[in-house]
Amino acid sequence: MPADGGIGASTKRREDVRFLTGNGNYTDDINANGQAYVYFLRSEMAHAKINSIDTSDAEKMDGVIRIFTGEDFVEVGGVPCGWEVTDRFGNAMQEPRHPILAHGKARHVGDPICAVVAETLEQARDAAEAIELDLEELPAVIDMKSALAEDSPKVHDELESNLCYDWGFVEENRDAVDEAIKNAHHVTTLELRNNRLIANPMEPRVAIGMFDRTTDEHTLYTTSQNPHVIRLLMGAFVLGIPEHKLRVISPDVGGGFGTKIFHYAEEAFCTFAAKAVNRPVKWTCSRSEAFVSDAHGRDHVTKIELAMDEDGNFLAVRTDTHANMGAYLSTFAPSVPTWLHGTLMAGNYKTPLIYVNVKAVFTNTVPVDAYRGAGRPEASFQLERVIDKAAYEIGKDPIELRRQNFITEFPYATPVAVEYDTGDYNATMDKMIEIADLAGFEKRAAESADNGKLRGLGVNCYIEACGIAPSNLVGQLGARAGLYESATVRVNATGSISVMTGSHSHGQGHETAFPQVIAEMIGIDPSQVDIVHGDTSKVPMGMGTYGSRSLAVGGSAMVRATEKIINKAKKIAAHLMEASEGDIELKDGQFTVAGTDKSVAWGDVTLAAYVPHNYPLEDLEPGLEETAFYDPANFTYPSGAYACEVEVDPETGKVTIERFSAADDFGNIVNPMIVDGQVHGGIGQGIGQALLEQAVYDEDGQLISGSYMDYAMPRADDVPFYTVDHSCQTPCTHNPLGVKGCGEAGAIGSPPAVVNAVVDALRRAGQDITHIDMPLTPSRVWQAMQS
Amino acid sequence: MYAFDVETPSSVAEAVAALKDEEATALGGGQTLIPTLKQRLAAPEKLVSLSGIAEMKGISTDGGVLTIGGATIHADVAAQGDYPALAALAGNIGDPAVRNRGTIGGSLANNDPSACYPAAVLGTGATIVTNTREIAADDYFQGMFTTALEEGEIITAVKFPIPEAASYQKFDQPASRFALVGVFVAKTADGVRVAVTGASEEGVFRWSEAETALNKEFRSDALMDLNINAMNMIGDLHGTKEYRAHLVKVMTRRAINAIG
């Protein structure tokens, strides 16, 4: 390994130099010659019939170039959905049309109705105010259960009902699970809500459409986690642009958290309008607009039942979930409450029978899709909460109840269709107990009591499925995309390397971590390797970054391409040293011939590849550039054990997190510092969900928490100093790096730990409380203590 | 934001003259007005900035009275040492950016029902000084976002008679970090004053029952039998009416205990 910077080194992030000095190149930093601006006039009503739109006065206003309405998009495709779920009766989900601009009806507050393109943004806004909209307000469909009532108004008149699908998994287990629950010694039941969240990346969404009439080429700059996915969806399904005439660029992106995976109407609009008005068209989302146009996350209402025998062995789990889809199906929305959720309901436990029922529901709210963890936090939360409640009910220690039911032999095929390759749940539990100093808890609880505070301890485990995903499998499950990843490794003549990766970094640190892998493989300094990403004209078709997949899938593609490079370089080295290829070894950037003192440097070999004077041209092409596409054989299964200690102020109900400890098993680790940061960020977002964040609609469909005045983001003083450990490592067995992914773990593992801790604190104080719905605001905790 | 003109007078007299224009609005530190303009929720034709008026800035103490210029920023109030409870209150408003732009006069003219300064002014029994008159705190606050100020009247200073002891206890609204409930308790020459912000639909108010009880006996136990009516409390996403009523009592007790 190089002295500094190979696999396992906590190399400082090279991209931070530009980010921290204000030199990042974000989409909004890009301005095209002759650029016009678009302002979207959005619905202020949750559900309304569009009677008429009169733009005649607005069109005459200063600076207005053109005003678009839904009529302009009747001929093009709607915003497509990338995943088709089949319901428990074998039918395809109900899939409504999602027009670029609302047509006929507006279906949520924030649904764009008109788009004004003008010379300046202020002129566009002025003109938007002069548009005369005749909207007829319709009753809003907000509550999911009411939405499924026979007499409910419909979000989409052309659909049979507001039910997108009724999914059962595993449907064949349904009767057996019912029977097991009916006959069980003890059944613990918990009803809960997984609160609706808004991702709030620091950088709002931005899109710039451009069109070159001389070449018919479209360019879209956009804040995307996966520019190729946008090119495919928008080119093929919305605007009918062939891919060689459509370039999508996502430069520096300031945080995604899932909500920048999806293809949005605004991107298609800017691309379409740039051609229509023959000008570059730019849209920068305001923060207020982001609240009502970025896809939201979570929003499940669940009843879970856990059946046990007299010894506390888990016999069966049955869940009944309503999942909010919002008004339209966002790109991956149908997959989140189904394949990313139901398949995780075994958790870390050998429960033999599991049945998951999910009813996905249309409502007059912003579309809901993947948010950090996507389905897996919803699964972990309900499972780890019901286990805690079960431990309380049967009088067992929650750690012991978990241990007793742990899966201990791998590979393990769960009853919910996935096979865990590796894991050691007792090891992470032991590690958590150690780093959390659980032995000292009672002493700390006594100190808290002396200060008039109630201290509580919450522990939980989690498992997630990352490294998304085997393409043939997801194809069977309804994905309309492959989920491989790509990499081209281009070795330059003097030995430096450019890696074109289909992964996209929007904060993850790929520019630092990926070179560490290549540096390790070849034995050169990582500064010799640069990462190129985010431009469909530069990198091979890739699927982007989400689901903790970049290193496990994108990194694996890079490893495969680098292996091809090394194989070819060894052939060249063998020729240069007049040795047999089989005797060539590569170490520390030197090729040597086994058993001799002959050697040739990496740079000499790469130069020979491009200046092939002394080169086996008959047998080998010149040049040194290789591409690999890697399709994973399975998901990866990171797991861990978390502990949270809280103090509750009994007078106000305010919860403060005093300690948070995370023992994770991510398999092998490339850059421990970046992994720490990923876990810190994930836990921060999990604490945000558990204590602070909630997107709340009133019964008319107005978003009450529509700004930072009411939507509480976690701040530095809301979170403690974390203790994180990832020394428990059971490497993934099916990818070349043995890595599992770490991006979502913190957000998956932390909400149940926090809620378990608060409930524990209140119980220790003699309160008969079994659950409080997130977020555990002071008001809610106090209210719970009064009843 | 709609287009508007800006005037930057350098004296109170010039500012008063500029504000005679019916379409003009006074701009203090802009912590409420500028976001409102950005959202196009207000459309003044002219903003008269008060931040360039030297005579409206600064803090002085004379004869037990702390006088703060209306255009003085929160950070400066937080830095003064003559009235520690007021300094602590100012130092906990918003964040550093807010404290270095927002002004005491701007906050009081706006009279947000969840702002901190109204509690200090009412709780201390301060006097609002304007370009035309002096207004006692008890006469100044007239309900949420409503004050005794006339059209075009400018808060040039606020005079705080420094109390014997005082404490402000604020319970943060988790998102905005305005006061979900804030209680200012002061032991003044004329007795105990208790002012509550954040809680009531009517804006800042004095909790007179608590004052009466504390004038008899300045101990938190004196509040034991008192209950505040939840009916007029604010109920929202962050707390029910009952929760706010409860917090008024808790925060008052904490203020009393902090005073000792």
Side-chain angles (χ1 to χ4, degrees):
Chain A
M1 184 183 118
D4 180 31
I7 289 177
S10 284
T11 308
K12 285 188 178 161
R13 301 190 347 154
R14 57 171 78 168
E15 47 270 73
D16 285 345
V17 174
R18 68 177 192 277
F19 295 153
L20 298 179
T21 57
N23 287 293
N25 182 37
Y26 297 91
T27 306
D28 195 49
D29 293 323
I30 294 161
N31 291 294
N33 270 340
Q35 165 180 293
Y37 296 82
V38 59
Y39 178 78
F40 291 98
L41 179 62
R42 297 177 183 275
S43 178
E44 293 177 358
M45 296 178 192
H47 196 190
K49 181 164 175 282
I50 302 171
N51 285 330
S52 66
I53 302 172
D54 182 355
T55 59
S56 52
D57 288 344
E59 276 162 11
K60 291 177 203 140
M61 291 181 64
D62 286 349
V64 173
I65 297 168
R66 186 168 157 189
I67 299 175
F68 296 81
T69 69
E71 280 297 316
D72 294 297
F73 293 89
V74 172
E75 300 297 320
V76 305
V79 181
C81 179
W83 201 299
E84 182 179 83
V85 164
T86 302
D87 74 8
R88 37 186 292 249
F89 311 105
N91 304 312
M93 66 185 188
Q94 292 205 84
E95 188 172 358
R97 180 176 163 84
H98 181 182
I100 303 297
L101 294 175
H103 191 247
K105 286 212 301 192
R107 295 185 176 85
H108 65 85
V109 170
D111 205 0
I113 298 173
C114 298
V116 182
V117 178
E119 299 291 342
T120 71
L121 179 59
E122 290 302 314
Q123 287 172 329
R125 286 186 74 169
D126 288 343
E129 287 179 9
I131 294 172
E132 286 188 30
L133 283 183
D134 178 3
L135 298 185
E136 182 182 332
E137 188 156 15
L138 300 171
V141 180
I142 302 301
D143 175 70
M144 284 193 276
K145 288 181 183 167
S146 313
L148 297 183
E150 284 277 326
D151 57 350
S152 172
K154 286 195 286 187
V155 177
H156 296 276
D157 300 328
E158 71 274 23
L159 301 186
E160 285 173 15
S161 68
N162 293 317
L163 180 68
C164 177
Y165 54 74
D166 177 354
W167 185 76
F169 184 68
V170 174
E171 191 60 23
E172 293 71 39
N173 290 348
R174 186 182 175 97
D175 293 342
V177 170
D178 288 349
E179 195 64 20
I181 286 176
K182 200 168 79 185
N183 299 326
H185 174 76
H186 186 90
V187 179
T188 297
T189 304
L190 183 62
E191 294 189 41
L192 55 88
R193 173 179 278 277
N194 202 293
N195 42 327
R196 178 186 275 245
L197 304 176
I198 302 174
N200 282 297
M202 197 180 290
E203 177 207 28
R205 290 186 296 121
V206 183
I208 310 169
M210 301 178 191
F211 181 66
D212 184 338
R213 275 189 191 278
T214 64
T215 59
D216 270 351
E217 285 173 355
H218 296 262
T219 302
L220 171 68
Y221 282 89
T222 184
T223 49
S224 175
Q225 298 176 216
N226 33 231
H228 273 106
V229 175
I230 304 306
R231 188 181 71 167
L232 179 64
L233 290 175
M234 187 178 80
F237 299 103
V238 186
L239 300 177
I241 303 169
E243 284 155 297
H244 68 299
K245 295 294 185 190
L246 174 57
R247 177 180 177 191
V248 179
I249 305 168
S250 299
D252 285 333
V253 173
F257 311 112
T259 204
K260 290 179 183 164
I261 297 172
F262 323 122
H263 175 43
Y264 285 95
E266 294 90 351
E267 295 169 319
F269 176 83
C270 289
T271 307
F272 179 91
K275 183 174 181 182
V277 304
N278 198 23
R279 296 269 296 269
V281 174
K282 181 174 193 173
W283 171 68
T284 301
C285 187
S286 71
R287 185 60 68 183
S288 306
E289 249 182 318
F291 274 95
V292 295
S293 68
D294 288 3
H296 293 180
R298 315 281 194 260
D299 207 353
H300 286 193
V301 175
T302 292
K303 177 183 175 187
I304 179 168
E305 294 158 286
L306 170 65
M308 292 173 288
D309 68 14
E310 55 274 23
D311 298 321
N313 296 313
F314 299 168
L315 301 176
V317 165
R318 180 168 65 191
T319 75
D320 175 4
T321 287
H322 286 71
N324 207 331
M325 294 286 103
Y328 304 102
L329 291 179
S330 176
T331 308
F332 289 118
S335 68
V336 174
T338 52
W339 300 110
L340 295 175
H341 164 249
T343 51
L344 274 301
M345 282 312 305
N348 310 57
Y349 313 101
K350 47 191 182 201
T351 313
L353 285 165
I354 297 173
Y355 181 72
V356 177
N357 183 223
V358 178
K359 294 178 185 72
V361 185
F362 293 110
T363 59
N364 290 116
T365 63
V366 171
V368 181
D369 205 328
Y371 166 69
R372 201 170 192 170
R376 290 151 290 168
E378 295 90 322
S380 273
F381 183 73
Q382 55 182 288
L383 187 61
E384 293 297 326
R385 284 289 302 123
V386 82
I387 292 172
D388 235 52
K389 187 176 180 210
Y392 178 66
E393 286 178 358
I394 66 172
K396 274 213 170 193
D397 177 78
I399 291 177
E400 290 315 310
L401 183 62
R402 286 177 169 86
R403 280 195 197 271
Q404 153 185 2
N405 287 285
F406 272 164
I407 296 160
T408 52
E409 289 176 17
F410 296 88
Y412 178 83
T414 73
V416 275
V418 289
E419 184 175 285
Y420 302 161
D421 56 346
T422 55
D424 186 345
Y425 308 145
N426 277 306
T428 44
M429 183 68 93
D430 291 343
K431 179 56 74 176
M432 178 275 282
I433 289 169
E434 174 199 328
I435 63 173
D437 182 29
L438 293 197
F441 173 77
E442 293 298 341
K443 183 164 172 281
R444 294 190 292 274
E447 286 166 6
S448 297
D450 288 345
N451 295 323
K453 300 285 169 53
L454 314 176
R455 200 171 187 102
L457 169 66
V459 299
N460 67 280
C461 301
Y462 76 89
I463 180 133
E464 54 169 329
C466 298
I468 296 172
S471 293
N472 54 359
L473 172 65
V474 295
Q476 288 167 23
L477 304 182
R480 290 163 170 164
L483 287 168
Y484 62 85
E485 197 48 89
S486 66
T488 294
V489 175
R490 176 179 297 159
V491 182
N492 301 308
T494 58
S496 68
I497 296 175
S498 300
V499 180
M500 277 61 75
T501 170
S503 298
H504 183 275
S505 183
H506 30 278
Q508 289 85 347
H510 297 174
E511 291 171 40
T512 301
F514 281 22
Q516 290 182 244
V517 173
I518 293 195
E520 178 83 20
M521 292 177 73
I522 299 176
I524 56 175
D525 193 273
S527 67
Q528 294 301 300
V529 185
D530 265 357
I531 301 301
V532 178
H533 63 92
D535 184 339
T536 60
S537 75
K538 290 183 179 168
V539 308
M541 171 122 177
M543 298 310 292
T545 288
Y546 38 82
S548 307
R549 70 191 300 272
S550 296
L551 194 60
V553 189
S556 295
M558 184 179 68
V559 168
R560 291 285 183 247
T562 306
E563 286 168 354
K564 293 185 194 178
I565 292 284
I566 291 171
N567 283 340
K568 185 171 178 183
K570 281 183 174 175
K571 288 188 171 71
I572 301 168
H575 176 86
L576 293 176
M577 294 187 282
E578 297 176 340
S580 160
E581 185 192 332
D583 293 335
I584 303 295
E585 291 169 357
L586 171 61
K587 195 176 175 227
D588 295 338
Q590 293 287 325
F591 294 92
T592 54
V593 181
T596 75
D597 59 357
K598 286 186 186 175
S599 81
V600 56
W602 168 253
D604 295 328
V605 171
T606 62
L607 190 65
Y610 290 97
V611 188
H613 297 164
N614 175 17
Y615 195 90
L617 285 167
E618 310 77 37
D619 304 321
L620 209 56
E621 292 174 12
L624 204 49
E625 173 167 330
E626 299 287 351
T627 295
F629 289 80
Y630 179 85
D631 205 278
N634 190 357
F635 292 90
T636 62
Y637 299 95
S639 63
Y642 284 15
C644 176
E645 278 182 37
V646 298
E647 273 189 353
V648 179
D649 180 341
E651 289 189 325
T652 63
K654 185 171 170 60
V655 176
T656 52
I657 299 195
E658 298 296 317
R659 295 167 69 91
F660 201 104
S661 308
D664 293 294
D665 175 1
F666 296 134
N668 295 334
I669 303 278
V670 171
N671 184 318
M673 180 198 72
I674 290 178
V675 171
D676 283 356
Q678 287 286 323
V679 176
H680 289 180
I683 297 172
Q685 284 184 306
I687 290 172
Q689 169 163 30
L691 295 184
L692 296 160
E693 299 183 47
Q694 51 178 334
V696 179
Y697 283 94
D698 70 12
E699 59 190 17
D700 297 324
Q702 295 295 325
L703 181 62
I704 300 172
S705 51
S707 79
Y708 291 141
M709 289 299 283
D710 289 300
Y711 190 91
M713 296 291 287
R715 303 181 208 195
D717 63 354
D718 289 314
V719 299
F721 285 93
Y722 310 114
T723 307
V724 303
D725 181 281
H726 23 79
S727 63
C728 297
Q729 299 179 354
T730 59
C732 172
T733 58
H734 57 79
N735 67 45
L737 289 166
V739 297
K740 296 186 173 182
C742 66
E744 297 158 298
I748 295 170
S750 56
V754 175
V755 179
N756 286 348
V758 174
V759 172
D760 180 64
L762 299 181
R763 278 205 205 112
R764 285 169 187 270
Q767 298 262 354
D768 183 26
I769 287 172
T770 55
H771 182 69
I772 304 173
D773 266 333
M774 300 187 291
L776 276 61
T777 60
S779 176
R780 278 196 187 164
V781 172
W782 180 80
Q783 215 77 44
M785 292 175 76
Q786 305 313 303
S787 50
Chain B
M1 213 179 258
Y2 298 104
F4 52 80
D5 294 325
V6 180
E7 278 196 40
T8 52
S10 56
S11 71
V12 172
E14 285 173 22
V16 169
L19 284 168
K20 288 222 161 32
D21 182 344
E22 262 184 29
E23 303 300 327
T25 297
L27 173 69
Q31 297 306 293
T32 301
L33 182 55
I34 299 293
T36 307
L37 296 178
K38 280 185 174 175
Q39 292 181 73
R40 295 189 161 206
L41 296 173
E45 286 184 8
K46 185 163 78 178
L47 292 185
V48 179
S49 170
L50 306 179
S51 58
I53 303 173
E55 61 190 292
M56 279 176 59
K57 288 186 184 175
I59 301 171
S60 61
T61 307
D62 186 20
V65 175
L66 182 80
T67 302
I68 302 174
T72 306
I73 58 173
H74 310 330
D76 289 344
V77 178
Q80 57 80 28
D82 290 342
Y83 190 173
L86 185 65
L89 174 148
N92 199 28
I93 297 174
D95 55 28
V98 169
R99 292 195 288 275
N100 282 286
R101 294 297 300 180
T103 64
I104 187 168
S107 172
L108 292 170
N110 189 46
N111 192 20
D112 188 300
S114 301
C116 295
Y117 269 134
V121 168
L122 191 60
T124 312
T127 301
I128 308 283
V129 183
T130 75
N131 54 306
T132 58
R133 56 182 170 149
E134 297 200 346
I135 311 170
D138 286 317
D139 300 325
Y140 177 79
F141 300 103
Q142 301 191 349
M144 177 180 289
F145 297 111
T146 311
T147 70
L149 290 178
E150 303 285 345
E151 200 69 34
E153 192 173 2
I154 297 170
I155 298 176
T156 55
V158 186
K159 291 199 236 175
F160 290 89
I162 298 172
E164 188 186 318
S167 173
Y168 177 61
Q169 297 291 322
K170 174 184 177 185
F171 192 85
D172 288 350
Q173 193 258 53
S176 69
R177 300 218 174 164
F178 272 75
L180 190 68
V181 167
V183 178
F184 198 100
V185 175
K187 279 170 121 171
T188 74
D190 302 325
V192 177
R193 293 175 70 102
V194 179
V196 180
T197 188
S200 170
E201 295 277 7
E202 309 294 321
V204 67
F205 69 96
R206 282 175 70 182
W207 188 14
S208 47
E209 292 86 349
E211 291 178 355
T212 307
L214 292 169
N215 276 325
K216 285 188 199 140
E217 189 183 18
F218 194 82
R219 313 194 299 127
S220 57
D221 287 355
L223 302 177
M224 197 91 83
D225 298 329
L226 297 185
N227 273 309
I228 197 150
N229 189 347
M231 188 129 79
N232 292 327
M233 296 285 124
I234 298 169
D236 63 15
L237 182 61
H238 308 288
T240 58
K241 290 169 181 282
E242 293 71 25
Y243 181 61
R244 278 189 170 80
H246 168 75
L247 280 184
V248 170
K249 200 167 165 181
V250 173
M251 292 297 122
T252 306
R253 206 161 55 218
R254 288 184 180 180
I256 295 161
N257 290 339
I259 290 169

